[in-house]
Amino acid sequence: MLKKVKIVIVGAGASGIAAASKLLQGGIDDFVILEANNRIGGRINTVAFGDNVVDLGAQWVHGEIGNVVYDLASKYNLLGSFCTLFDTSKHEFFTINGERISKEESMKALTIYFDLMKKASDDLGKAEGSFGNYFREKFYKTYMETFASYSRISELFSWIEKMECSIECSDSLSEVSAKRLTDYWECEGDSVQNWKERGYKTLFDLLMKKIPNAENGLPVTERIELKKVVTTIDYNSGKDVTVTTSDGCKYIASHVIFTASLGVLKKKHSTLFVPSLPSKIRRAIRGLCIGTVNKIFMEFPCKWWSEDTVSINLVSLEENKKLFVQKYGEEYQWLCDVFSFFVVDYQPRLLCAWIIGKYARQMETLSDTDISDGLYRLLQDSMGKHYHVVRPTRILRSKWFTDEHFQGSYTFQSMNTENLNVKPSDLAEPVVVNGKPVILFAGEATHDHYYSTVHGAVETGFREADRLLDFYQR
């Protein structure tokens, strides 16, 4: 099949749908969206589970001031808040061998952690080396000034490091550039707003103007073709771009807006684009980083944890991990990197386990039975003396790394990024042929200040649509 269109948008995630909606509002309707999966959403993936829905990917709206997602949602009262996350009294800590850490110790450690992160932007720009080195030095110094006893410092810091790695999406904080963290802008206001019982998929109804009245929605979905895996994007002719999909279809277009993840670019850019992308873009793809963070939702027949608990957190040192592995075997070593079980808003019988890094990637290769049995053992060993832990009835988990259409969760700027001196804006630079932008890049990885966020992805979709609208106006 051969199809001619003005614009091909690759990917129906937040940036792809945002670009499509902006094009339609600007008067351009001659485009198609090619989506590799059998659903829209990209790294927004709202799934029915438990008493309503859960989000396997993006979950919270981070901030209010300057946040385009908040601007879209707030006028219709669609957002709630998980602000209890920052109440230090609502987090419980256990060692993986079953010892409860006192609330006094954990509350002070969390207070130090939250305070340091608030103040970090003031001097990160002057820091040399990794964020891990910077943060460890600051945390240990403040902790030792606060406590009379240092017995838990290593254990509590090991948990805080994993928590922060889940935010940065790195395997270790030693990978993260301290200086480059100053490039990231936090939107003021509530940083953990949820979508109540609706899930993050609600954003697409907002982008397509289906809220408040579905009848007035933009005709975006009619232009989406699912299960279309793009294999080549050939812009060699100097005029048009030929996009070929794995099922043999070809699309001739004047422009391509490419919104797939940085993970896909890292894996496939050398064979995907003909000719090869300009060296500046290839360098940016090499220098920017994407990591893996996964969630495992566990449904229980009843709520067995405390009513006022926000999270149950596990700390471990290397000797604890060795004992755990000796007890259960090497195949259960991944459990030692499960660091938190969070409650889920509007889901009274669910806990959500978080895991990062190489063991998050290993976890994706295991069966649901292995995952469920392993997490039950972990909960029993760590808190069975303090709670009547019951076996989960079912689980649902993300697999962002082994999914060939993502190859990771979201991006961060590493020491390698700093050493190569590349920025997301280098990846956002379009490929121009004879004065015409033929390949344009969008997605969270292309935003200098809101990388790793949905509002960053939406802004980049708007940005590239505006680029083409401006091109045709000129």
Side-chain angles (χ1 to χ4, degrees):
M1 185 191 81
L2 184 66
K3 188 173 184 178
K4 281 197 169 189
V5 290
K6 187 186 289 288
I7 301 164
V8 169
I9 300 173
V10 179
S15 53
I17 299 297
S21 67
K22 180 58 74 82
L23 288 172
L24 285 171
Q25 291 173 80
I28 293 180
D29 60 3
D30 185 14
F31 64 84
V32 65
I33 306 174
L34 304 179
E35 169 53 53
N37 281 293
N38 62 356
R39 63 172 180 87
I40 72 165
R43 283 167 281 173
I44 294 172
N45 188 10
T46 303
V47 179
F49 189 75
D51 294 335
N52 42 78
V53 298
V54 294
D55 280 306
L56 288 170
Q59 184 169 341
W60 292 309
V61 177
H62 297 295
E64 301 169 41
I65 308 301
N67 185 325
V68 65
V69 175
Y70 175 82
D71 291 342
L72 288 167
S74 59
K75 65 184 73 171
Y76 303 112
N77 192 31
L78 295 172
L79 301 176
S81 179
F82 192 53
C83 59
T84 48
L85 177 67
F86 299 108
D87 184 340
T88 59
S89 69
K90 295 186 181 297
H91 300 269
E92 295 188 82
F93 283 81
F94 299 86
T95 66
I96 60 171
N97 58 342
E99 191 180 350
R100 188 197 289 268
I101 295 176
S102 75
K103 273 284 178 77
E104 181 186 9
E105 283 183 292
S106 64
M107 285 172 67
K108 285 182 178 178
L110 285 173
T111 300
I112 292 169
Y113 169 40
F114 294 153
D115 286 348
L116 284 177
M117 292 311 298
K118 284 178 186 174
K119 299 170 184 174
S121 58
D122 295 336
D123 53 4
L124 272 175
K126 297 173 283 186
E128 295 292 334
S130 75
F131 177 62
N133 290 340
Y134 162 88
F135 186 70
R136 175 182 285 272
E137 181 182 332
K138 291 281 187 183
F139 181 83
Y140 270 66
K141 181 175 183 294
T142 310
Y143 187 101
M144 290 178 176
E145 290 170 353
T146 305
F147 284 97
S149 168
Y150 311 143
S151 60
R152 295 290 188 188
I153 187 169
S154 296
E155 290 172 312
L156 288 166
F157 183 79
S158 73
W159 179 86
I160 288 169
E161 184 172 33
K162 287 176 184 173
M163 182 67 181
E164 194 59 26
C165 282
S166 75
I167 295 169
E168 301 301 333
C169 204
S170 61
D171 285 13
S172 162
L173 291 185
S174 63
E175 295 177 336
V176 181
S177 166
K179 278 183 180 175
R180 287 302 182 86
L181 276 178
T182 60
D183 290 344
Y184 181 84
W185 293 352
E186 289 193 9
C187 298
E188 292 180 35
D190 190 344
S191 61
V192 282
Q193 297 166 93
N194 59 47
W195 293 88
K196 301 181 181 178
E197 300 98 335
R198 302 172 66 110
Y200 222 126
K201 67 177 182 181
T202 311
L203 172 65
F204 298 108
D205 288 337
L206 290 166
L207 288 170
M208 293 187 276
K209 309 292 184 184
K210 292 183 178 180
I211 295 176
N213 188 346
E215 292 180 3
N216 297 331
L218 296 168
V220 174
T221 53
E222 293 90 326
R223 290 165 173 78
I224 300 173
E225 296 185 18
L226 299 175
K227 295 184 179 180
K228 290 289 185 178
V229 179
V230 173
T231 54
T232 56
I233 299 172
D234 188 336
Y235 62 102
N236 206 29
S237 74
K239 183 181 179 184
D240 290 326
V241 186
T242 302
V243 178
T244 305
T245 55
S246 59
D247 58 3
C249 294
K250 290 185 183 294
Y251 301 80
I252 309 298
S254 296
H255 317 271
V256 170
I257 301 177
F258 188 88
T259 75
S261 75
L262 177 65
V264 170
L265 279 172
K266 281 182 173 292
K267 184 86 172 179
K268 299 181 178 180
H269 78 86
S270 61
T271 56
L272 192 58
F273 293 94
V274 181
S276 296
L277 292 169
S279 59
K280 185 177 181 180
I281 297 176
R282 296 201 310 271
R283 184 181 176 88
I285 293 169
R286 190 167 77 251
L288 298 170
C289 289
I290 184 167
T292 307
V293 177
N294 276 316
K295 294 186 277 190
I296 309 165
F297 290 96
M298 309 168 69
E299 183 180 27
F300 296 92
C302 59
K303 183 175 185 175
W304 51 262
W305 52 93
S306 297
E307 190 63 39
D308 63 347
T309 293
V310 165
S311 71
I312 299 169
N313 306 294
L314 305 182
V315 300
S316 60
L317 297 175
E318 287 306 314
E319 52 264 34
N320 303 130
K321 293 179 183 179
K322 287 176 184 175
L323 290 172
F324 190 88
V325 172
Q326 284 173 11
K327 183 176 180 180
Y328 292 116
E330 291 285 340
E331 65 270 28
Y332 286 104
Q333 188 168 356
W334 66 273
L335 289 164
C336 297
D337 265 12
V338 175
F339 63 93
S340 283
F341 295 85
F342 281 95
V343 301
V344 183
D345 281 333
Y346 306 96
Q347 293 272 25
R349 295 180 297 109
L350 297 194
L351 287 177
C352 180
W354 286 70
I355 183 170
I356 59 165
K358 69 175 183 178
Y359 289 118
R361 296 187 281 275
Q362 180 195 338
M363 179 277 297
E364 296 185 22
T365 67
L366 304 177
S367 71
D368 279 1
T369 300
D370 287 340
I371 300 296
S372 183
D373 289 348
L375 289 174
Y376 179 58
R377 287 181 181 181
L378 181 64
L379 288 169
Q380 284 276 34
D381 274 23
S382 57
M383 62 200 74
K385 297 175 187 174
H386 313 279
Y387 284 110
H388 177 58
V389 178
V390 299
R391 185 178 288 274
T393 53
R394 59 176 179 154
I395 67 164
L396 179 69
R397 56 181 163 142
S398 58
K399 298 179 182 179
W400 294 113
F401 178 73
T402 52
D403 190 320
E404 64 172 327
H405 306 312
F406 300 103
Q407 307 269 312
S409 303
Y410 42 93
T411 59
F412 67 99
Q413 296 196 47
S414 69
M415 292 304 300
N416 186 47
T417 313
E418 182 184 328
N419 293 335
L420 286 176
N421 193 28
V422 296
K423 291 190 175 184
S425 53
D426 296 331
L427 181 56
E429 195 164 304
V431 177
V432 178
V433 177
N434 298 325
K436 182 178 75 172
V438 292
I439 312 291
L440 304 89
F441 293 93
E444 52 88 10
T446 71
H447 200 300
D448 269 342
H449 305 300
Y450 295 147
Y451 57 87
S452 81
T453 69
V454 175
H455 56 275
V458 171
E459 281 198 7
T460 64
F462 288 164
R463 179 193 68 208
E464 297 312 313
D466 282 335
R467 195 191 301 274
L468 291 181
L469 290 168
D470 290 345
F471 174 77
Y472 282 104
Q473 284 173 4
R474 288 198 304 271

